Amino acid sequence: VVLALNPGDFIMLLATIGFSLYSVLLKRIPGHIDAGGLLLVLMTFGVIGILPFYAADLIAGRTWEWQAGSSGLILFYVAVFPSIASFFFWNFAVKKGGPLLTGLSFNLLPVFTMILAFVILGDPVLKTQVLAVGLIFAGIATGLAPRKNRDEG
């Protein structure tokens, strides 16, 4: 197996840095700012930022075919759960627990992906995945462990 970098890796690195910065700055937002209003502003900027890419796809003829019934359900699911609800919950968690504590939960994504793949798709759970889940939980436990004060010793 040969590992090589590609443009998508750089995009993911930028996305991770951006989301980390967003999480840290979210803690500094004054309490009187409405969570729904903040989300609306962020989503507006997100739509403005993605419009040129959408336009480029339309110009290049890359569209998707609307399937009666299923397309509407898929669009509704994507709009409500990963786009709106997840940000509300993330913002709430950062306000209550801070970006460091909330960030630890981000590591659970592969765990839930594995579980859903098993339950929904019937994918087998491999030994390497079980090992990875153990490492994830060990990392989270390490991140949550109380730390000694450096001045003590």
Side-chain angles (χ1 to χ4, degrees):
V1 176
V2 177
L3 296 178
L5 293 176
N6 66 54
D9 296 330
F10 180 68
I11 293 170
M12 286 305 300
L13 178 63
L14 288 177
T16 302
I17 292 169
F19 199 70
S20 299
L21 183 63
Y22 164 76
S23 296
V24 170
L25 293 176
L26 188 63
K27 188 72 175 166
R28 296 182 180 183
I29 292 178
H32 68 278
I33 305 267
D34 179 59
L38 174 65
L39 188 60
L40 178 65
V41 169
L42 292 172
M43 292 178 106
T44 300
F45 279 108
V47 168
I48 291 169
I50 206 166
L51 275 177
F53 298 101
Y54 178 64
D57 277 349
L58 289 178
I59 291 167
R62 292 187 296 261
T63 61
W64 60 286
E65 187 177 322
W66 184 270
Q67 301 291 325
S70 64
S71 292
L73 291 173
I74 292 168
L75 190 59
F76 174 77
Y77 171 82
V78 170
V80 171
F81 295 108
S83 298
I84 297 173
S86 65
F87 269 93
F88 267 117
F89 289 128
W90 184 266
N91 293 353
F92 178 78
V94 169
K95 289 258 185 210
K96 293 295 180 185
L100 181 63
L101 183 61
T102 306
L104 288 173
S105 69
F106 204 72
N107 296 305
L108 293 172
L109 281 172
V111 176
F112 288 114
T113 302
M114 180 194 69
I115 292 168
L116 290 172
F118 174 75
V119 172
I120 296 172
L121 303 175
D123 284 358
V125 177
L126 306 174
K127 291 177 187 176
T128 53
Q129 291 171 316
V130 173
L131 175 64
V133 168
L135 290 172
I136 288 169
F137 282 114
I140 291 172
T142 302
L144 293 174
R147 299 174 188 210
K148 282 187 165 184
N149 190 344
R150 292 181 187 214
D151 294 335
E152 293 176 3

